Amino acid sequence: MRCSTDKDIQKGIHDGVFKHKNITSPNLVGTQNVDDPPLYGTTFALNGSSLYFNVTINIDNLKIVSNATIRRSTAVHELGHGLGLSHEKPPVNAVMNSSRDRTITYILQTDDIKGINTKYPF
C-alpha cells in the first residue's frame, strides 16, 4: 500500500495493512525471519517518507540472535534509515556504515549525528 496522507495511513491501520495488534502508528520496529540469513535488517519507508517507516531485524541471522550488541547496532542502523539516513562508506566511523564492526559501533557516532542535524535542522 502506498500511503500519501495521514488519512491513508489510518485507513492502512484499519484495513490491517500494518498487521501489528493495537497499533496507533505505522512506525514500528520488529523482528522477522528473512530468507537471506546474512541480511541483518531492513527498513521500508512508506511512500518514500521518513515520517512513516517499518524496521525489521532478521532473527534468522545467527549473529543477531546470539549477540545483543549486534542486535542493538542493527536496530540503530535501521532506525537511521527510517529517519532518512543513507549508508556511509569506509573509513567513516558511523552506525550507518554497513561495514562497521557491529560489536563496537552500536551507538550514534559524530557522522550519524551530523547527518540527522543536517536533515532536520532546528
Side-chain angles (χ1 to χ4, degrees):
M1 174 177 188
R2 304 293 289 176
C3 299
S4 57
T5 66
D6 285 341
K7 185 176 179 180
D8 290 337
I9 297 291
Q10 293 304 318
K11 181 176 181 341
I13 292 168
H14 180 268
D15 292 347
V17 172
F18 309 109
K19 297 181 174 34
H20 295 274
K21 201 173 188 177
N22 300 324
I23 190 168
T24 58
S25 159
N27 297 337
L28 47 100
V29 178
T31 58
Q32 162 181 352
N33 287 319
V34 179
D35 289 338
D36 184 8
L39 183 69
Y40 284 88
T42 60
T43 301
F44 174 69
L46 302 174
N47 201 26
S49 167
S50 60
L51 298 176
Y52 303 110
F53 56 85
N54 295 324
V55 172
T56 58
I57 298 170
N58 184 11
I59 57 173
D60 213 23
N61 182 320
L62 296 180
K63 291 178 184 176
I64 288 176
V65 172
S66 64
N67 190 309
T69 304
I70 292 175
R71 279 194 303 278
R72 182 177 180 189
S73 180
T74 301
V76 171
H77 175 91
E78 295 305 332
L79 284 169
H81 286 311
L83 293 172
L85 296 179
S86 300
H87 285 140
E88 288 293 339
K89 294 187 175 28
V92 175
N93 182 28
V95 168
M96 296 311 296
N97 179 345
S98 292
S99 300
R100 72 194 176 285
D101 181 342
R102 289 170 175 82
T103 63
I104 297 172
T105 307
Y106 56 88
I107 60 172
L108 294 176
Q109 304 296 305
T110 302
D111 185 77
D112 303 307
I113 295 167
K114 285 181 181 177
I116 291 292
N117 287 333
T118 299
K119 188 153 184 67
Y120 303 101
F122 53 93

